[in-house]
Amino acid sequence: MSAFGLPPQASTIAPRVDHLFYAVLGVTGAVTLAIIVLMIVFGIRYRAGSRTRRSEDVPATQARARKRVEIAWTLTPLILFMGAFAWAARIYVVRADAPPDAMELFVVAKQWMWKLQHEGGQREIDEMHVPRGRAVKLVMTSEDVIHSFFVPSFRLKQDVLPGRYAELWFTATQAGRFHLFCAEYCGTDHAAMRGEVVVMEPAEYAQWLNEHRSALDMASRGEALFRQYGCSGCHGENASVHAPELAGVYGKPVPLADGSTVVADDRYVRDSILLPTKEVAAGYAPIMPSFAGQIGEEDILDLIAYIRALAPRSERPR
Ligand code: CUA
């Protein structure tokens, strides 16, 4: 436990968040204290019946002094608030920008559990094994309603929304088990939607990955799904249908039929599967059927992993 009963600081960002928290607490505490003291002092000094002059007969020098006081008490809080804003914005930016060498973990939230998948195909529910000292990037989505991924010891909280990918990254600094909560009311068992983040030493983690190795990694599972859902019938090598070639597409700009361009990232691939007529690649007829309601979020992540594996890693967008 750190000061004020806060949970341990178990990620690189945690001390930074705490410093800001203590600074804001200190400033607001000092202001509160000053107000209480002044209230008492003025209450005594200017109590009813005291012979202090009233405002009508304030001399000019005093009016000028008053103006200075007013400017001071307007500027001081402004500077303090802008300072707190800049400080918090800095932490926000650091938090939003995952290092390029971060390992990726995929999270699908649903009522009422956290489903996780590692790139190697290892799957877990309500438990997340990660190595200590390595940046981990989470790609998160929800199967149903809005949830919120909250690890107090990491000082991280991120809403997880259906229909889009939220990203979050952290580097754990302490081995151990840490609470994972859902921090957004999501129905009857919201309170039961919790889990644990298990931070392991790198060697231990490698061993854990090995012990939980699955027959197929995400990309291979995606390849199987690619055939199973019939994607290969049109996008495969020997397809007779005129459909966009997918090899090497991931991470590249895609010209669209409406003249605009998008980068083929996770979001684009997901939307292309579920809302194929939304962004049609230039030069192709909008003939692809929607797979909405037929493919689960986890399968979509596997399909994305497969399409991604068709592109060299250096060309993936960050
Ligand atoms: Cu999920 Cu609350």
Side-chain angles (χ1 to χ4, degrees), residues 162-238:
R164 62 184 298 171
Y165 292 115
E167 288 184 1
L168 189 64
W169 78 276
F170 61 87
T171 302
T173 53
Q174 276 180 38
R177 304 178 84 91
F178 304 98
H179 290 299
L180 158 66
F181 295 111
C182 177
E184 180 76 52
Y185 181 69
C186 54
T188 319
D189 279 342
H190 156 72
M193 190 170 164
R194 342 172 239 179
E196 265 187 334
V197 180
V198 185
V199 180
M200 310 172 97
E201 292 301 334
E204 252 180 280
Y205 175 71
Q207 199 188 333
W208 181 90
L209 279 183
N210 221 359
E211 281 163 13
H212 295 78
R213 190 159 294 289
S214 87
L216 297 174
D217 63 15
M218 283 181 72
S220 316
R221 201 177 277 150
E223 190 178 2
L225 292 168
F226 194 74
R227 281 192 298 271
Q228 187 189 318
Y229 285 112
C231 315
S232 54
C234 298
H235 294 282
E237 278 172 17
N238 308 313

Side-chain angles (χ1 to χ4, degrees), residues 109-114 144-148 181-187 189-191 193:
K110 67 169 276 189
Q111 288 167 324
W112 288 276
M113 62 179 79
W114 297 101
D144 36 48
V145 299
I146 300 175
H147 302 272
S148 181
F181 295 111
C182 177
E184 180 76 52
Y185 181 69
C186 54
D189 279 342
H190 156 72
M193 190 170 164

Side-chain angles (χ1 to χ4, degrees), residues 38-304:
L38 286 175
M39 251 163 57
I40 294 169
V41 169
F42 288 169
I44 294 168
R45 191 155 161 210
Y46 301 106
R47 69 188 180 280
S50 88
R51 296 201 286 123
T52 315
R53 268 190 298 239
R54 299 225 298 275
S55 56
E56 297 95 77
D57 36 53
V58 175
T61 47
Q62 221 171 322
R64 260 201 307 280
R66 228 193 231 175
K67 201 171 200 171
R68 278 204 298 274
V69 169
E70 253 182 71
I71 290 171
W73 79 38
T74 308
L75 276 184
T76 312
L78 180 71
I79 290 166
L80 287 174
F81 284 132
M82 291 316 282
F85 169 72
W87 190 347
R90 175 75 199 126
I91 295 175
Y92 181 85
V93 167
V94 168
R95 208 202 79 159
D97 194 18
D101 61 340
M103 58 171 266
E104 291 190 321
L105 251 168
F106 300 85
V107 180
V108 175
K110 67 169 276 189
Q111 288 167 324
W112 288 276
M113 62 179 79
W114 297 101
K115 296 188 286 186
L116 286 110
Q117 191 169 192
H118 297 249
E119 272 182 297
Q122 295 86 348
R123 288 187 170 183
E124 358 184 23
I125 286 177
D126 291 341
E127 265 202 340
M128 182 169 100
H129 287 77
V130 293
R132 187 182 63 80
R134 171 130 190 238
V136 178
K137 179 174 143 189
L138 303 177
V139 177
M140 308 189 286
T141 190
S142 165
E143 241 174 64
D144 36 48
V145 299
I146 300 175
H147 302 272
S148 181
F149 186 92
F150 180 34
V151 183
S153 298
F154 292 176
R155 308 292 189 272
L156 284 182
K157 189 190 274 176
Q158 171 66 50
D159 274 10
V160 179
L161 283 69
R164 62 184 298 171
Y165 292 115
E167 288 184 1
L168 189 64
W169 78 276
F170 61 87
T171 302
T173 53
Q174 276 180 38
R177 304 178 84 91
F178 304 98
H179 290 299
L180 158 66
F181 295 111
C182 177
E184 180 76 52
Y185 181 69
C186 54
T188 319
D189 279 342
H190 156 72
M193 190 170 164
R194 342 172 239 179
E196 265 187 334
V197 180
V198 185
V199 180
M200 310 172 97
E201 292 301 334
E204 252 180 280
Y205 175 71
Q207 199 188 333
W208 181 90
L209 279 183
N210 221 359
E211 281 163 13
H212 295 78
R213 190 159 294 289
S214 87
L216 297 174
D217 63 15
M218 283 181 72
S220 316
R221 201 177 277 150
E223 190 178 2
L225 292 168
F226 194 74
R227 281 192 298 271
Q228 187 189 318
Y229 285 112
C231 315
S232 54
C234 298
H235 294 282
E237 278 172 17
N238 308 313
S240 53
V241 179
H242 181 56
E245 170 67 38
L246 298 183
V249 130
Y250 192 90
K252 298 268 180 56
V254 179
L256 299 182
D258 67 2
S260 61
T261 304
V262 289
V263 171
D265 54 7
D266 294 354
R267 200 259 339 140
Y268 175 72
V269 177
R270 183 183 185 280
D271 283 0
S272 299
I273 296 169
L274 302 180
L275 309 160
T277 52
K278 186 178 147 205
E279 292 159 314
V280 178
Y284 295 93
I287 50 170
M288 174 162 158
S290 166
F291 286 80
Q294 299 173 53
I295 304 190
E297 292 295 341
E298 285 158 290
D299 286 358
I300 293 174
L301 286 168
D302 290 339
L303 283 165
I304 293 172

